[in-house]
Amino acid sequence: MDLPGLYEKGMEKASLPQMGFENLMIAGLIASGSVLLFPFQLGAIPVMTIVYLAFVVTMLGFVLRKHLCSSCWYYGKSCHCGWGRLSARLFKQNSGNYKLGGTLGNLTWMVIMILPLLVFIVGLLTSSIRFAEEWPVLAFFLGFVVINGGLHKKSCTECKMRFICPGSAAKKKAV
């Protein structure tokens, strides 16, 4: 795919260990976020966790793969997460709305990272949870937020789409 504005020095293909590690860190973030939401139940049903996981699977697994990855240079290729390959298995190339994908991507990652933290704070303020029991999960969650933020920036710096991707954390000027 020939896209105007590509970063010519960008990574051609990510390694399997890199893709595995990034996905493992994303899974850790989502898992620890889900555990932070678990105490908020309706009866014995952890409604907040179920809604969170359904949102994550829908957005990361399908919606963003269609609207972002189907229009990406890495469509059908091994990007830093391998999601370009997943997108090619699920959707036709350029079948999504890239601009919408950028907006939804930013919103999705804000929900993934901020919702568990906000709900945790509300739980503390309303005495629904006890900090002493939940702080290790909070520490893991915050650790995964930092790690994923760093990985995102590093991956964007090496990405061919760094200058044109709406979710790029890399500087937009050529280096």
Side-chain angles (χ1 to χ4, degrees):
M1 176 188 316
D2 188 31
L3 295 170
L6 281 179
Y7 177 48
E8 294 302 323
K9 296 179 186 175
M11 166 188 68
E12 294 288 327
K13 167 181 159 173
S15 68
L16 192 57
Q18 179 185 4
M19 290 185 287
F21 182 71
E22 290 211 27
N23 281 294
L24 187 62
M25 293 300 103
I26 291 169
L29 173 69
I30 294 164
S32 58
S34 298
V35 172
L36 280 178
L37 296 171
F38 196 80
F40 303 92
Q41 301 182 4
L42 188 59
I45 302 171
V47 176
M48 291 290 292
T49 298
I50 292 168
V51 170
Y52 180 73
L53 289 174
F55 172 80
V56 167
V57 168
T58 301
M59 296 305 290
L60 291 185
F62 300 100
V63 175
L64 295 180
R65 299 306 59 88
K66 179 173 182 69
H67 293 294
L68 281 179
C69 297
S70 74
S71 300
C72 181
W73 185 88
Y74 292 100
Y75 175 83
K77 299 178 181 107
S78 298
C79 65
H80 67 102
C81 286
W83 294 352
R85 294 172 73 180
L86 174 62
S87 178
R89 292 182 185 264
L90 297 173
F91 307 106
K92 291 181 181 176
Q93 192 166 22
N94 297 315
S95 61
N97 179 325
Y98 194 64
K99 186 174 181 179
L100 174 64
T103 301
L104 292 175
N106 290 330
L107 289 172
T108 297
W109 284 103
M110 285 191 332
V111 168
I112 288 171
M113 290 195 246
I114 295 173
L115 179 69
L117 190 56
L118 289 177
V119 171
F120 180 83
I121 291 168
V122 168
L124 285 176
L125 295 175
T126 62
S127 300
S128 301
I129 60 170
R130 295 188 179 150
F131 183 76
E133 296 169 2
E134 301 294 331
W135 78 265
V137 179
L138 177 64
F140 274 110
F141 178 76
L142 293 174
F144 282 120
V145 167
V146 170
I147 290 168
N148 279 290
L151 286 173
H152 179 71
K153 183 167 182 155
K154 181 183 181 302
S155 296
C156 289
T157 301
E158 300 169 350
C159 180
K160 289 221 177 250
M161 298 284 290
R162 74 179 279 180
F163 300 133
I164 53 180
C165 178
S168 179
K171 291 180 182 177
K172 298 290 184 179
K173 293 183 180 183
V175 286

